[in-house]
Amino acid sequence: MFSFKAFIFGCISVIVIGLTLQLGYVLLATFISNYDSGDGFFTTYQTELWFIAAMLVYSLTMFFGGILTSLVSGQNNSVTPVLVGLSTSLLSLLTSSSSGDITWGSAVMIFGSVIFCVLGSRLVIKRRQRSATNFI
């Protein structure tokens, strides 16, 4: 079932983790921009590298958010982590979009955030189930 306490905690943890990892992403992107000022690898593939790094940060944020949400909920289902992933990705999309248009990339981002929250949640659930069978 749904746990409101875990939902609030999960949303706050996703926001805090996301902002912390975004700080690291910005510092890394600044280093890449300043490090390679010529015609090197980073200059050629700068946009692609920034996109890959941004998706990695976003995936890790949702994964850890799913783990923390599942730890707080104490339940063996993924309803609350799914709602955390969905709501935080929609909130992120609505606050960052100036025109309000939802593109294919936005839909992939929303779907991916739900998937990574569920993956984090399933990791905790499998760990709980494994420890419950070891005690018996």
Side-chain angles (χ1 to χ4, degrees):
M1 288 313 282
F2 176 73
S3 171
F4 187 71
K5 176 180 76 169
F7 175 76
I8 296 297
F9 182 79
C11 288
I12 291 172
S13 66
V14 163
I15 291 169
V16 169
I17 291 169
L19 290 175
T20 305
L21 289 177
Q22 279 181 353
L23 175 64
Y25 166 73
V26 168
L27 291 174
L28 179 66
T30 304
F31 173 74
I32 289 172
S33 294
N34 290 336
Y35 178 72
D36 191 31
S37 59
D39 293 330
F41 175 78
F42 291 115
T43 304
T44 307
Y45 298 105
Q46 187 175 34
T47 306
E48 290 83 5
L49 291 171
W50 284 352
F51 179 76
I52 290 169
M55 287 298 106
L56 180 65
V57 164
Y58 198 73
S59 300
L60 286 173
T61 299
M62 292 301 170
F63 183 75
F64 289 128
I67 287 174
L68 293 174
T69 303
S70 189
L71 284 173
V72 170
S73 74
Q75 301 169 351
N76 284 342
N77 61 22
S78 297
V79 173
T80 307
V82 164
L83 292 175
V84 167
L86 186 64
S87 62
T88 54
S89 64
L90 286 174
L91 179 68
S92 173
L93 180 68
L94 291 175
T95 58
S96 66
S97 175
S98 59
S99 63
D101 295 334
I102 295 180
T103 62
W104 284 105
S106 303
V108 168
M109 182 189 80
I110 292 169
F111 184 71
S113 66
V114 171
I115 294 297
F116 277 99
C117 271
V118 168
L119 286 175
S121 170
R122 297 307 300 169
L123 180 73
V124 172
I125 291 170
K126 286 196 181 271
R127 176 76 178 197
R128 273 191 204 131
Q129 290 171 346
R130 196 174 310 137
S131 6
T133 57
N134 289 340
F135 286 130
I136 295 177

